[in-house]
Amino acid sequence: MWWKKLGVALLLVVATSHYVQSQQPAKVLCYYDAANFLIEGLGKVPLADIDTALPFCTHLVYGYAAIDVETNKAVSKQPNLDLDTGKGNYRAVTQLKSKYPSLKVLLGLGGYKFSEPSIKYLTLLESGAARITFINSVYSLLKTYGFDGLDLAWQFPQNKPKKVRGKLGSAWHGFKKVFSGDSVLDEKADEHREEFTALLRELKNAFRSDNYQLGITVLPHVNSSIFIDIPAVINYLDFVNIAAYDQQTPFRNPKEADFAAPLYELTDRVAGNSVDGLVRHWLANNAPASKLIVSIPTFGRGWRLTEESGITGVPPLVADGPSGPGKQLQSEGFYSWAEVCAMLPNPSNTGLKGADGPLRKVGDPTKRFGSYAFRLPDKDGSNGLWVSYEDPDTAGNKAGYVKAKSLGGIAINDLSQDDVRGSCAGEKFPILRAAKYRL
């Protein structure tokens, strides 16, 4: 009879373990790109300015480190800003844990701005010696500066931009690709897939004695089915951040304005290019829901409208490349939430009004696709603008999706593009707050 009692006890232990795991609090990964410190004017966000956000974050990811192509070592992109020989941001950011003891501070490596060619990331994978050099340098940075782990945004080749097509057009394009071969992103993809698995396994082994966390960010337009063996890598990872934004951008899709970060897939769009589509892909490949993080952007993407764009503003619609820069970030086709809010018909805004009049706001009553706003061009064809953006309401909807699916949590990318100063409605970091409250 004793073995029966032992069996029952073991079953209770397993069941309790699964219950405790399912009850783990949701993660809130807050990303901060140190390059924002280098912006001049209102767009500048030094490390001290994100302090108000940190009580809402479980993790702070400080980016971005890079790969030195000559040595295969992980290095700071801004040594004068990050290292002790400069302003010492690496040590300053990890010392935030003394004020927020439950906060985990991770080093972000890679990033999304693609200032580095993906080829050097692939070349590093191909050499076991190069991987060891890279891992040792990462470990040294974490140990030296007191980080709690690594968020790895590996820069695999991006999918080529695709146009919105009807069913007949999609079928014909797929038929042409079979013969044109334009779907081949990497001739050694199978090899790199195995080597990336090896890299993550080796990193996890190197981190184990210090209990460092290891996560990856799957960047937009990186095909996970080509480059990542999900069942093989998932056990080495503490989380997978799915960067489900920038599905359409004015740089990848200059002639076609559309929702940049839809929650669900729209009719006649590229299959899987939505939060739900990307999440379902990982779940279908045996990734535990508890390890999946959904990235919520804090920015909008803008296109220039023309006389050919029509008058409805309903996407997808004809466009003519990125719209003009905003007053804070001074970046074409890219606006922080504070910049978008300043262009909307909201009397509570102060000091950031758009010079060419407010946009017409179109909300998302379905809670499926996101918000957009637009201004039709003048008679001479100027001042036309269409913006797809994230706001506190849509961010809350995505957090609600994460909770309903029992996913691991959310990522806010980037803190510096949220309303850092509360210029829109008087509340700092409204997108972060709204998303946190819905988890």
Side-chain angles (χ1 to χ4, degrees), residues 23-152:
Q23 296 300 305
Q24 290 295 318
K27 293 181 175 66
V28 180
L29 275 61
C30 296
Y31 284 75
Y32 171 74
D33 186 347
N36 293 291
F37 181 85
L38 306 176
I39 298 173
E40 294 299 329
L42 290 172
K44 183 172 184 171
V45 181
L47 192 58
D49 284 3
I50 68 170
D51 188 79
T52 312
L54 298 183
F56 301 92
C57 307
T58 61
H59 296 67
L60 175 62
V61 182
Y62 180 91
Y64 285 91
I67 297 172
D68 185 312
V69 69
E70 300 294 333
T71 65
N72 292 311
K73 291 183 178 180
V75 295
S76 166
K77 284 184 181 178
Q78 293 103 17
N80 292 334
L81 180 64
D82 295 331
L83 305 185
D84 288 342
T85 53
K87 291 186 177 295
N89 262 18
Y90 275 170
R91 207 168 296 281
V93 74
T94 57
Q95 286 175 352
L96 289 168
K97 292 184 288 181
S98 62
K99 185 175 182 180
Y100 303 102
S102 62
L103 182 70
K104 299 295 184 184
V105 181
L106 308 183
L107 177 64
L109 190 147
Y112 177 47
K113 294 188 177 179
F114 292 98
S115 57
E116 304 168 296
S118 61
I119 185 64
K120 78 174 176 183
Y121 284 77
L122 301 182
T123 302
L124 187 150
L125 291 177
E126 294 171 3
S127 166
R131 294 201 305 268
I132 291 173
T133 298
F134 172 74
I135 291 166
N136 288 340
S137 66
V138 168
Y139 180 84
S140 178
L141 284 175
L142 301 186
K143 193 75 171 177
T144 300
Y145 293 100
F147 287 100
D148 297 304
L150 178 73
D151 176 74
L152 192 62

Side-chain angles (χ1 to χ4, degrees), residues 286-307:
N286 299 318
S290 61
K291 289 191 176 184
L292 300 184
I293 307 295
V294 169
S295 227
I296 299 175
T298 56
F299 53 83
R301 289 291 190 176
W303 284 259
R304 181 182 293 108
L305 296 186
T306 71
E307 293 177 348

Side-chain angles (χ1 to χ4, degrees), residues 269-389:
R269 301 316 203 266
V270 178
N273 277 14
S274 65
V275 171
D276 182 64
L278 295 168
V279 167
R280 284 191 288 107
H281 172 73
W282 279 79
L283 292 175
N285 282 275
N286 299 318
S290 61
K291 289 191 176 184
L292 300 184
I293 307 295
V294 169
S295 227
I296 299 175
T298 56
F299 53 83
R301 289 291 190 176
W303 284 259
R304 181 182 293 108
L305 296 186
T306 71
E307 293 177 348
E308 298 178 359
S309 303
I311 62 172
T312 67
V314 177
L317 67 164
V318 174
D320 185 26
S323 54
K327 293 185 177 181
Q328 289 191 6
L329 301 181
Q330 293 294 315
S331 180
E332 288 189 340
F334 184 90
Y335 306 109
S336 68
W337 164 234
E339 288 179 310
V340 173
C341 184
M343 294 187 287
L344 300 178
N346 184 346
S348 64
N349 293 339
T350 58
L352 289 170
K353 291 290 184 183
D356 300 310
L359 305 183
R360 185 184 308 171
K361 178 182 177 180
V362 182
D364 181 19
T366 67
K367 300 181 181 181
R368 295 179 63 85
F369 308 128
S371 298
Y372 65 89
F374 68 100
R375 180 175 58 235
L376 296 177
D378 298 335
K379 292 181 179 180
D380 62 359
S382 63
N383 293 324
L385 173 61
W386 191 94
V387 184
S388 171
Y389 61 90

